[in-house]
């Protein structure tokens, strides 16, 4: 079977089904008010920027926008599946904060055939091909139409859930070890800084601690084989 990957969980032997998103869900592109300066950095609505994306989940959004400005953007409730489409296209993420999207983002609506936790990893895997589809003469832009018609290969829903759970567990361990490594680096840096500090009140001369002597010069005749 051509559509079965070499590595699978043993309880699954079904083929992967080719689909395009247009046939199973809806994709919406964000939009921006004009002039943008009139609306941002004020108000209480969260205005997502690419710089807010730090990984799989968005937990902090720095910029706000007014209610009037937000109405001209695209609302993304908490838990939406979002994909960047310009500047740094092809980055998938989930928002843990209600926010509004500008025209640099696409929002893929939820559907019954896709587990979006699994789809996150699928998009990461397909990102090089997606970017080739969106490559232009000057810059790469992942248009809505490209994503709608792109062919993804998906297993059945149960297998999607199994794969997503497995990969999420690995991500959790990576994050834990990465945080532990950063703490160890800070711990080491703290010790190094303490060693660098000089307490003038406790300064001393080397001669007060060590007995320093100078070696003697050995005459050449003492080095002859006869001696």
């Amino acid at each position: 079977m051509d559509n079965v990957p070499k590595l699978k969980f043993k309880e699954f032997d079904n083929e992967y089904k080719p689909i395009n998103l247009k046939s199973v869900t809806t994709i919406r592109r964000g939009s921006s008010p004009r002039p943008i300066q009139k609306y941002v950095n004020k108000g209480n609505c969260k205005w997502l920027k690419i710089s807010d994306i730090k990984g799989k989940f968005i937990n902090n959004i720095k910029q706000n926008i007014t209610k009037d400005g937000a109405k001209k953007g695209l609302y993304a409730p908490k838990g939406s599946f979002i994909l960047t489409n310009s500047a740094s296209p092809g980055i998938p993420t989930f928002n843990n904060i209600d926010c509004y999207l500008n025209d640099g983002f696409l929002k893929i609506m939820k559907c019954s055939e896709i587990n979006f936790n699994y789809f996150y990893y699928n998009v990461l895997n397909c990102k090089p091909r997606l970017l080739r589809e969106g490559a232009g003469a000057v810059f790469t832009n992942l248009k809505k139409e490209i994503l709608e018609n792109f062919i993804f290969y998906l297993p059945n829903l149960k297998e999607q859930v199994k794969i997503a759970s497995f990969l999420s567990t690995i991500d959790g361990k990576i994050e834990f070890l990465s945080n532990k490594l950063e703490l160890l680096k800070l711990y080491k840096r703290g010790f190094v800084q303490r060693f660098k500090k000089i307490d003038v009140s406790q300064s001393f001369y080397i001669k007060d601690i060590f007995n320093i002597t100078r070696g003697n010069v050995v005459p050449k005749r003492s080095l002859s084989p006869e001696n």
Side-chain angles (χ1 to χ4, degrees):
M1 293 184 288
D2 294 335
N3 293 340
V4 177
K6 294 180 180 179
L7 181 62
K8 287 176 66 69
F9 290 103
K10 61 182 180 180
E11 63 265 39
F12 302 104
D13 60 359
N14 56 293
E15 291 187 352
Y16 280 25
K17 178 183 177 183
I19 68 160
N20 58 38
L21 294 180
K22 184 170 61 176
S23 66
V24 295
T25 188
T26 302
I27 301 172
R28 298 186 62 188
R29 184 185 179 188
S31 56
S32 301
R34 297 288 188 272
I36 188 66
Q37 293 80 9
K38 179 181 177 182
Y39 302 96
V40 294
N41 298 321
K42 58 187 79 171
N44 297 316
C45 301
K46 293 297 181 180
W47 187 243
L48 185 64
K49 299 178 70 174
I50 290 179
S51 58
D52 295 317
I53 301 176
K54 306 298 181 184
K56 186 175 181 180
F57 299 102
I58 299 168
N59 296 308
N60 183 42
I61 297 176
K62 296 179 181 178
Q63 194 168 57
N64 287 356
I65 193 169
T66 64
K67 287 184 178 180
D68 287 340
K71 291 177 182 177
K72 299 179 185 296
L74 174 64
Y75 177 59
K78 178 181 178 181
S80 296
F81 185 82
I82 300 167
L83 190 66
T84 59
N85 74 327
S86 61
S88 297
I91 302 174
T93 189
F94 296 92
N95 58 323
N96 279 338
I97 303 170
D98 293 345
C99 63
Y100 292 83
L101 308 180
N102 61 41
D103 45 15
F105 297 98
L106 299 171
K107 183 178 75 168
I108 304 176
M109 309 300 288
K110 293 182 179 180
C111 66
S112 59
E113 294 190 40
I114 298 176
N115 175 278
F116 277 90
N117 193 21
Y118 164 82
F119 195 64
Y120 168 84
Y121 296 104
N122 198 322
V123 170
L124 287 177
N125 186 51
C126 294
K127 184 178 176 180
R129 290 195 294 128
L130 279 168
L131 295 186
R132 284 197 296 271
E133 293 284 339
V138 179
F139 57 88
T140 300
N141 190 0
L142 188 57
K143 296 180 180 178
K144 172 186 169 184
E145 293 75 20
I146 292 174
L147 191 60
E148 284 179 332
N149 294 291
F150 188 85
I151 300 298
F152 291 94
Y153 287 86
L154 303 180
N156 63 42
L157 200 57
K158 286 185 178 180
E159 189 172 358
Q160 289 180 42
V161 172
K162 178 84 172 185
I163 294 171
S165 177
F166 175 74
L167 294 176
S168 295
T169 299
I170 294 176
D171 274 347
K173 290 182 178 180
I174 291 173
E175 183 178 4
F176 172 77
L177 292 173
S178 297
N179 291 337
K180 189 174 182 180
L181 177 60
E182 289 304 313
L183 287 173
L184 286 172
K185 287 180 178 179
L186 288 173
Y187 187 66
K188 175 187 173 183
R189 193 177 303 133
F191 267 99
V192 170
Q193 292 300 322
R194 289 183 65 182
F195 289 143
K196 286 181 178 180
K197 291 180 180 180
I198 300 175
D199 187 348
V200 178
S201 65
Q202 298 180 11
S203 61
F204 51 83
Y205 292 105
I206 294 296
K207 69 178 182 179
D208 295 332
I209 300 177
F210 301 102
N211 182 22
I212 303 174
T213 59
R214 183 179 178 183
N216 297 321
V217 177
V218 179
K220 287 185 178 180
R221 62 177 178 274
S222 300
L223 299 176
S224 64
E226 297 177 355
N227 295 323

